[in-house]
C-alpha cells in the first residue's frame, strides 16, 4: 500500500474521532429571505428599473400638485400669450390659445396616468374573478370559459376600442371602459394559469399528507410566487393603456381641451409643427415616451426580480 | 394538418361574424347612424342608405341582409359623400396601405430577427446592450412621436427626404421607418429572449458535441426554434401595424385607407367607420389565419398532429 | 415499445459492416493497457450570481482503450462537468478550466482552439445525453440530424451519408430506417429516440463515447435494452466508454472500472470488482449500502444522511467529513492524500493512515 502524497506531516493528536456533525452539513443552505424582500433586493440592484420607479413617483407627485400650484389659467384663451417659446415665465412655452404648456403637461399627466392605472386595476379585478373562477372550477366550466377567452383574444382589440369610442363618444370614462372591455382577457388567462398552479400544488401536497403545513406553504411561498406574473402584467398594462389613449386622441377620439391628455396635446400641435412651434409637440411627446419607457423598464425589472425560476 | 386548418378556418369565420354582429347592433344604437329616424338632407345619400340597409324592413331581415352584403364584400355607402362607398374608398386607399404595411413588416421582421439574434449571440456584450437599449426605446416611443421627430429632422432640418406622401421610393423611407421601429423593437426583444432560451437546450449542446460550425448551429438548429414565439406574436404585431397605418398615413398625408378611416372618424361618417372596421377586422383575422398556417408549417409537431407514429 | 425489444437482435447482423473495426473486435475481455484519455488535476469553476461554484477540484483519472469506465456519485458532484470538460462543452465565459489537462492520445484538449476542438468533437469523441426527449432538435428530420455530423467532418455525398445513417439505425435497432429518416423526433418513443441519439454519436466512428446518464430518463425495461446496445457496440468496435450514472445497477452490468466522485473530486477509483467487493471510502460504502432494493419505494431510499457541501465555499479538508461516521479531526483540517490500494485501486481517505487504523481497531 502506497500513499502517494505525504500525509505524514499531519499531527498525531488530530487522529481522534470527531463525532458526527449532520446539522452542520444541513446549515450550508443559504438564509432564505422572504419572497418579497428577496425580489425587492434584486429589483433595487437593477438601476434602470429603479430609475423608472423614481421617475414615476416624481411624475405622480407633479401630476397631483403641479396643476394646483400653477399660476397659469388654462380655461380662458390668453391672446396676449399665444405661441410663446419656453421662457422663465412659461417653462415649456405656450400654445395657440396662450395656455401654459407646462401646466397643461401636468394636467395631461393626470389624464394619462389615470387612464393607465384605472385600466390596469379594472383589468386586474375582472381578470381575477374570471380567471379565478375558470381555474378554480376547472372541468367543463373552465373549458367553456377558456373557449370564450380564445375567441375574444382573436378580436382585433384596438379596432373594437375605436368602434366603442365612436359609439359612446369620447370621454375619460368611455376610454377606460373601452380599454378594459378588451383588455381583461390577457389578465384572466394569467390568473387562471396561476390558480391552476396553486391547485396542482394543493393536490400534490395533500396527497402526500403534508397536512397542516399546506395552507401555510401556499400563503407563504406559493401565493407570492403566483402574484409575480400578475403584478408584472399590471405594470405592463399601464404603458399600453397610455399608448392606446394617446393613439385614440391622435385619430380624433380623445378627450378635448382644456384638460387634455398628452395625446390630444400632441395631436393639436401636429398641424403647426412645420411652423416652428416645436415645444407644443415636444413636451407632451417627451412625457408620453418617458412614462412608457419608465413603465416598461420597471415591468421588465420586476419580471426579472419576481421570476422564481431565476432564484439563486 | 388539414384538421388544424379547418379548425382555424372556423375560428376565423366565427370571429368575423362576431365583429359584424357587434357593429350592426352597435350601429343601431347610435344617434346619427343610418338607422336613426332623422333623415339626411342629401337625397342621393338617403337613397343609398335605404337601399343598402333595407331601412323599410324589420331588424332581423336587415341583420341577415347586412351579413350577406359583408359576405359578398360590400361594406356599405358613405353618409357624407354621396358618390363614395366603403368599397370605392378601399379600392383607392387599400393598395397603398397594404404596400406600407407589407414594407413595414418586411423591414421589421428582417431587422428585428437579425438584431435579436446578434444580441443573444453576444449575450451581455456591447451589441446586446445597445440592441436592447434600442428595443426598449423603440417600444416606448409612440409611432406618431417618432414620425414627427423624423419629419422634423430628415425633412425640415436636414432636407434629406420628402416630408409627406407616398409617391416614390424616397417618400416611403420616413413613413416606413416610423411605422417599423416599434415592431422591430418587439421582434428583436422576443427573438433575443427566445434565442437565449433555445441556446441552453440539450439539442444545441448536442449539435455542438457533433462539432458543427457555429454558423450552422445558429442558422439550422437554433433560429427556427427561436422564431416560433416570434411567429405567435405576429398576429398582435399585424394588428399594431394596421392601426399604426391610421396614424402614419394621417401624419404623412398618405392617401391610404387609414387616412380615409381617420377622416371618417373625425366627421362621424358612421357607415364608413362601421364598414371599414368590419373590413379591417376581417382582413386582420384572415392574416392571423395565414400566420397560424405558417406556424403549422414551421412546427412539425403541429403539422403531423393527427398521424403520429409511436410517440 | 415492442419494436424496441425485438429489432435489436434481428437487425444486429445486418449492419455489422458499418461499425466493426477488425483489429478491435474481440478485445473486450482482454486486459486493457493502452491509455487513451488521461485527465489530470482538473479544476473547473462557474461564475454565477451567488459567487463562484468550484465544480471540479482536482479530478484525475485514466481511461484505457476499449474499456468502460463508470463515473458514479450523487447529483451535483461534478460528473456532467467532467464530461463536458473533456468534450469541450463548458459554457463560456461563465465556466472556466482553471487548471489541469485532458490528454487525448497525447493532445491536450483543453489547449485546443475552438476550430481544432470541433475536429475532435463527434469525430474522435462523441457524447450521449441524458434526456432523449430534449437531445434531438424537434424541428429537424432525423435523417438530417444523423448525417450532418458526417457531412461536416468527412467529404461524403448526401447519398453515402444517408446509406451509412440507415445502416446505423438498423444497428441500433430502429425498424424501417429508410422511412424513419424522414420523420421528426416527436414521432418516436423515448427509447427509440435514445437509440437515435446513440446512432448520431456513432456516425463518425469515434474512439471514445461519453454517455451522461443515458438511461436515467428511460423506463426500466428500455434501460436494460440500451445497456445491451452499449455492450454490443463496444464488442463490435472496441470503442472506449465513459458511462456517467448514479445508478449502481447500471454500473454493475457493464462497467469495467468505476470512479466515485464526491464534491468535485474523484475519491475512489478501481476495477468493478474492487469497488464493489472491497470499497475503501466510507462514501463508496454508503453508496453501495443504498443500492435500491425491490422492497423499498424510491422515495424511502435515504442513501447517506446529510447533503454534499456547498461548492461555493468547499471545505479545505475531506468534503465528506460532515456525513462520515468515521470522521476525525484531521479530516476536517487536511484533505487526505491518495492511497494506492492496488495497481488499479486508489482512494482519498484518512482511514488509510496507520494512525487511523490504530484508532478504529
Ligand atoms: N453552467 C453552470 N453554471 C453554474 N454552475 C454549474 C454549471 N454547470 C454545473 N454547475 C455546478 O457544478 C456542480 C456539478 O454539476 P454537475 O456536473 O452537473 O453534477 P452531476 O454530477 O449531477 O452531473 C453543481 O454544483 C452545479 O451547480
Ligand atoms: S477522510 Fe475522514 S471524513 Fe473523509 S471519508 Fe475518510 S474518514 Fe471520512
Ligand atoms: Mg449530470
Amino acid at each position: 500500500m502506497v500513499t502517494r502524497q505525504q500525509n505524514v506531516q499531519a499531527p498525531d493528536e488530530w487522529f481522534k474521532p470527531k463525532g458526527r456533525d449532520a446539522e452542520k452539513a444541513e446549515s450550508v443552505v443559504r438564509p432564505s429571505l422572504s419572497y418579497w424582500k428577496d425580489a425587492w433586493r434584486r429589483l433595487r440592484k437593477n438601476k434602470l428599473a429603479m430609475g423608472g420607479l423614481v421617475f414615476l413617483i416624481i411624475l405622480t407627485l407633479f401630476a397631483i400638485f403641479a396643476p394646483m400650484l400653477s399660476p397659469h389659467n388654462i380655461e380662458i384663451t390668453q391672446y396676449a400669450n399665444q405661441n410663446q417659446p419656453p421662457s422663465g415665465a412659461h417653462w415649456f412655452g405656450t400654445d395657440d390659445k396662450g395656455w401654459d404648456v407646462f401646466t397643461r403637461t401636468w394636467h395631461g399627466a393626470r389624464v394619462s396616468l389615470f387612464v393607465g392605472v384605472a385600466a390596469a386595476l379594472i383589468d386586474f379585478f375582472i381578470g381575477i374573478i374570471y380567471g379565478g373562477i375558470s381555474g378554480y372550477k376547472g372541468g367543463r366550466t373552465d373549458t367553456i370559459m377558456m373557449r370564450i377567452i380564445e375567441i375574444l383574444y382573436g378580436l382585433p382589440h384596438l379596432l373594437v376600442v375605436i368602434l366603442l369610442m365612436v359609439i359612446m363618444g369620447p370621454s375619460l370614462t368611455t376610454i377606460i371602459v373601452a380599454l378594459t372591455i378588451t383588455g381583461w382577457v390577457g389578465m384572466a388567462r394569467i390568473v387562471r394559469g396561476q390558480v391552476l398552479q396553486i391547485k396542482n400544488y394543493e393536490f400534490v401536497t395533500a396527497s402526500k399528507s403534508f397536512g397542516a403545513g399546506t395552507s401555510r406553504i401556499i400563503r407563504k411561498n406559493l401565493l407570492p410566487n403566483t402574484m409575480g406574473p400578475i403584478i408584472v402584467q399590471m405594470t405592463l398594462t399601464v404603458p399600453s393603456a397610455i399608448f392606446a389613449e394617446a393613439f385614440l386622441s391622435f385619430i380624433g377620439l380623445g378627450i378635448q381641451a382644456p384638460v387634455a391628455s398628452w395625446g390630444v396635446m400632441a395631436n393639436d400641435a401636429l398641424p403647426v409643427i412645420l411652423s416652428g412651434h416645436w415645444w407644443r409637440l415636444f413636451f407632451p411627446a417627451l412625457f408620453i415616451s418617458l412614462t412608457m419607457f419608465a413603465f416598461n423598464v420597471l415591468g421588465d425589472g420586476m419580471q426579472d426580480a419576481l421570476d422564481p425560476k431565476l432564484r439563486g | 394538418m388539414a384538421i388544424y386548418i379547418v379548425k382555424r378556418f372556423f375560428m376565423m369565420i366565427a370571429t368575423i361574424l362576431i365583429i359584424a354582429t357587434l357593429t350592426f347592433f352597435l350601429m343601431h344604437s347610435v344617434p346619427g347612424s343610418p338607422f336613426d329616424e332623422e333623415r339626411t338632407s342629401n337625397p342621393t345619400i338617403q337613397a343609398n342608405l335605404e337601399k343598402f340597409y333595407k331601412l323599410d324592413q324589420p331588424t332581423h331581415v336587415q341583420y341577415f341582409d347586412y351579413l350577406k352584403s359583408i359576405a359578398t364584400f360590400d361594406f356599405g355607402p358613405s353618409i357624407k359623400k354621396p358618390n363614395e362607398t366603403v368599397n370605392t374608398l378601399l379600392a383607392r386607399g387599400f393598395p397603398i396601405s397594404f404596400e406600407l404595411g407589407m414594407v413595414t413588416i418586411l423591414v421589421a421582421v428582417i431587422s428585428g430577427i437579425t438584431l435579436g439574434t446578434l444580441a443573444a449571440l453576444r449575450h451581455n456584450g456591447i451589441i446586446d446592450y445597445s440592441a436592447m437599449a434600442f428595443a426598449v426605446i423603440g417600444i416606448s416611443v409612440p409611432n406618431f412621436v417618432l414620425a414627427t421627430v423624423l419629419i422634423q429632422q430628415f425633412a425640415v432640418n436636414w432636407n434629406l427626404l420628402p416630408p409627406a406622401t407616398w409617391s416614390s421610393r424616397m417618400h416611403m423611407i420616413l413613413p416606413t421607418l416610423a411605422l417599423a421601429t416599434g415592431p422591430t423593437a418587439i421582434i428583436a426583444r422576443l427573438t433575443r429572449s427566445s434565442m437565449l432560451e433555445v441556446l441552453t437546450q440539450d439539442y444545441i449542446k448536442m449539435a455542438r458535441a457533433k462539432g458543427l460550425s457555429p454558423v450552422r448551429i445558429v442558422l439550422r438548429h437554433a433560429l427556427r426554434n427561436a422564431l416560433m414565439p416570434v411567429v405567435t406574436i405576429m398576429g398582435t404585431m399585424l394588428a399594431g401595424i394596421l392601426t399604426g397605418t391610421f396614424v402614419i398615413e394621417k401624419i404623412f398625408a398618405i392617401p391610404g385607407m387609414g387616412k380615409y378611416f381617420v377622416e371618417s372618424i373625425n366627421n362621424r361618417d358612421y357607415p364608413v367607420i362601421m364598414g371599414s372596421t368590419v373590413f379591417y377586422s376581417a382582413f386582420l383575422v384572415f392574416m392571423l389565419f395565414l400566420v397560424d398556417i405558417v406556424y403549422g408549417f414551421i412546427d412539425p409537431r403541429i403539422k403531423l398532429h393527427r398521424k403520429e407514429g409511436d410517440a | 415499445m415492442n419494436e424496441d425489444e425485438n429489432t435489436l437482435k434481428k437487425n444486429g447482423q445486418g449492419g455489422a459492416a458499418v461499425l466493426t473495426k477488425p483489429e478491435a473486435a474481440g478485445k473486450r475481455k482482454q486486459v486493457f493497457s493502452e491509455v487513451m484519455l488521461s485527465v489530470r488535476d482538473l479544476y473547473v469553476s462557474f461564475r454565477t450570481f451567488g459567487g463562484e461554484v468550484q465544480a471540479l477540484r482536482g479530478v484525475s483519472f485514466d481511461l484505457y482503450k476499449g474499456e468502460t469506465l463508470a463515473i458514479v456519485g450523487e447529483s451535483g458532484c461534478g460528473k456532467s462537468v467532467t464530461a463536458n470538460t473533456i468534450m469541450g462543452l463548458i459554457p463560456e465565459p461563465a465556466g472556466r478550466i482553471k487548471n489541469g489537462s485532458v490528454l487525448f492520445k497525447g493532445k491536450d484538449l483543453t489547449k485546443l482552439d475552438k476550430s481544432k476542438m470541433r475536429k475532435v468533437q463527434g469525430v474522435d469523441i462523441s457524447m450521449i445525453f441524458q434526456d432523449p426527449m430534449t437531445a434531438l432538435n424537434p424541428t429537424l428530420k432525423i435523417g438530417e440530424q444523423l448525417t450532418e455530423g458526417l457531412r461536416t467532418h468527412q467529404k461524403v455525398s448526401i447519398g453515402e451519408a444517408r446509406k451509412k445513417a440507415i445502416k446505423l439505425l438498423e444497428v441500433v435497432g430502429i425498424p424501417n430506417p429508410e422511412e424513419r429518416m424522414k420523420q421528426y423526433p416527436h414521432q418516436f418513443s423515448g427509447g427509440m429516440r435514445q437509440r437515435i441519439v446513440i446512432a448520431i454519436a456513432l456516425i463518425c466512428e469515434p474512439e471514445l463515447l461519453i454517455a451522461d446518464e443515458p438511461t436515467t430518463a428511460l423506463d426500466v425495461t428500455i434501460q436494460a435494452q440500451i445497456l445491451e446496445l452499449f455492450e454490443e457496440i463496444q464488442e463490435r468496435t472496441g470503442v472506449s466508454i465513459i458511462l456517467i450514472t448514479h445508478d449502481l445497477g447500471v454500473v454493475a452490468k457493464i462497467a469495467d472500472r468505476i470512479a466515485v466522485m464526491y464534491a468535485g473530486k474523484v475519491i475512489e477509483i478501481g476495477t468493478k470488482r474492487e469497488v464493489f467487493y472491497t470499497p475503501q471510502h466510507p462514501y463508496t460504502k454508503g453508496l453501495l449500502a443504498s443500492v435500491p432494493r425491490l422492497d423499498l419505494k424510491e422515495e424511502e431510499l435515504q442513501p447517506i444522511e446529510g447533503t454534499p457541501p456547498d461548492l461555493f465555499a468547499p471545505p479545505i479538508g475531506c468534503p465528506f467529513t460532515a456525513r462520515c461516521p468515521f470522521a476525525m479531526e484531521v479530516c476536517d483540517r487536511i484533505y487526505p492524500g491518495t492511497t494506492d490500494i492496488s495497481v488499479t485501486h486508489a482512494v482519498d481517505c484518512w482511514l488509510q493512515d496507520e494512525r487511523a487504523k490504530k484508532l478504529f481497531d
Side-chain angles (χ1 to χ4, degrees), chain B residues 64-271:
Chain B
F64 286 110
D65 202 69
Y66 179 71
L67 290 186
K68 216 163 73 191
S69 316
I70 302 263
T72 54
F73 294 97
D74 185 357
F75 296 99
S78 162
I79 212 169
K80 301 286 171 185
K81 300 171 183 161
N83 300 318
E84 300 272 25
T85 65
V86 177
N87 287 56
T88 59
L89 292 177
L90 279 175
R92 237 177 313 138
F94 187 69
I96 297 175
S97 301
F98 189 75
E99 190 178 20
L100 171 61
M102 284 301 140
V103 175
T104 300
I105 289 170
L106 220 63
V107 170
V109 166
I110 293 174
S111 47
I113 289 174
T114 313
L115 212 57
T117 306
L118 289 178
L121 294 179
R122 294 278 172 272
H123 187 34
N124 287 336
I126 288 178
I127 296 180
D128 188 17
Y129 286 131
S130 32
M132 285 311 105
F134 160 79
V136 69
I137 292 170
I139 288 166
S140 303
V141 178
N143 44 25
F144 58 85
V145 171
L146 186 64
T148 43
V149 170
L150 289 175
I151 294 177
Q152 182 72 36
Q153 292 306 322
F154 287 88
V156 179
N157 288 358
W158 300 332
N159 215 354
L160 288 174
L161 291 165
T165 76
W166 189 250
S167 33
S168 76
R169 286 278 153 75
M170 293 299 272
H171 287 80
M172 292 159 91
I173 295 178
L174 289 184
T176 306
L177 219 56
L179 191 52
T181 301
T184 305
I186 295 173
I187 293 179
R189 266 164 67 114
L190 193 61
T191 306
R192 170 181 177 269
S193 66
S194 85
M195 184 60 113
L196 283 176
E197 164 99 33
V198 165
L199 288 176
T200 65
Q201 296 293 312
D202 275 359
Y203 57 81
I204 296 297
K205 204 167 152 198
M206 173 125 162
R208 292 212 288 144
K210 286 179 191 170
L212 304 181
S213 73
V215 176
R216 183 173 171 91
I217 291 174
V218 170
L219 294 185
R220 194 77 191 139
H221 284 266
L223 199 56
R224 186 160 166 180
N225 289 289
L227 287 187
M228 290 201 193
V230 178
V231 177
T232 55
I233 62 139
M234 277 316 278
T236 333
M237 181 117 299
L238 287 171
I241 290 175
L242 187 135
T243 45
T245 59
F246 305 168
V247 167
I248 296 300
E249 289 177 10
K250 175 185 164 179
I251 296 177
F252 288 93
I254 296 169
M257 191 58 205
K259 184 166 163 286
Y260 299 132
F261 184 54
V262 174
E263 266 172 30
S264 74
I265 288 173
N266 286 316
N267 58 28
R268 297 293 184 269
D269 191 342
Y270 291 107

Side-chain angles (χ1 to χ4, degrees), chain C residues 108-214:
Chain C
D108 185 353
L109 299 184
T110 63
K111 301 283 183 307
L112 292 186
D113 64 34
K114 281 185 182 161
S115 64
K116 288 224 179 74
M117 189 63 203
R118 259 182 260 135
K119 298 208 168 70
V120 177
Q121 290 166 332
V123 182
D124 295 317
I125 310 179
S126 274
M127 189 151 171
I128 292 162
F129 294 90
Q130 169 170 350
D131 189 354
M133 292 308 189
T134 57
L136 293 170
N137 190 331
T139 58
L140 291 184
K141 288 180 181 153
I142 294 303
E144 176 168 354
Q145 301 194 52
L146 264 164
T147 52
E148 64 178 347
L150 189 62
R151 296 195 15 91
T152 303
H153 296 296
Q154 296 171 14
K155 288 221 170 340
V156 294
S157 69
I158 298 181
E160 282 171 72
R162 284 184 54 84
K163 240 187 248 162
K164 182 159 185 188
I166 291 170
K167 279 241 180 82
L168 250 181
L169 283 180
E170 252 169 51
V171 170
V172 298
I174 305 275
N176 307 327
E178 214 145 330
E179 261 170 56
R180 294 298 227 165
M181 291 278 282
K182 295 188 211 95
Q183 296 187 327
Y184 291 94
H186 72 272
Q187 293 166 285
F188 294 82
S189 66
M192 287 291 187
R193 285 194 220 185
Q194 195 61 305
R195 286 167 193 269
I196 293 168
V197 171
I198 292 170
I200 291 175
L202 294 174
I203 192 102
C204 291
E205 300 173 26
E207 292 170 58
L208 169 57
L209 206 55
I210 303 176
D212 190 351
E213 315 224 8

Side-chain angles (χ1 to χ4, degrees), chain C residues 281-282 318 320-321 324 326-328 331 336 348-351:
Chain C
H281 200 284
C318 170
F320 194 55
T321 315
C324 179
F326 307 101
M328 297 163 286
C331 309
D348 291 5
C349 177
W350 278 114
L351 290 178

Side-chain angles (χ1 to χ4, degrees), chain C residues 269-343:
Chain C
I269 187 167
T271 62
K272 176 162 74 183
R273 187 165 272 283
E274 285 165 339
V275 174
F276 268 122
Y277 295 115
T278 57
Q280 293 300 316
H281 200 284
Y283 176 67
T284 313
K285 291 177 187 164
L287 272 187
L288 288 168
S290 74
V291 169
R293 302 207 322 252
L294 287 177
D295 54 337
L296 289 179
K297 276 211 199 118
E298 209 159 318
E299 300 109 75
E300 291 174 62
L301 209 141
Q302 181 50 268
I304 305 163
E305 229 172 275
T307 46
D310 189 353
L311 292 178
F312 286 97
I316 43 167
C318 170
F320 194 55
T321 315
R323 302 164 75 183
C324 179
F326 307 101
M328 297 163 286
E329 260 198 58
V330 66
C331 309
D332 235 351
R333 302 185 190 235
I334 307 174
Y335 186 79
T338 302
T339 306
D340 289 323
I341 311 290
S342 74
V343 191

Side-chain angles (χ1 to χ4, degrees), chain B residues 19-35:
Chain B
I19 296 271
T21 309
L22 198 68
T23 52
F24 179 82
F25 288 103
L26 285 175
M27 198 179 343
H28 255 271
S29 64
V30 195
S33 87
F35 299 101

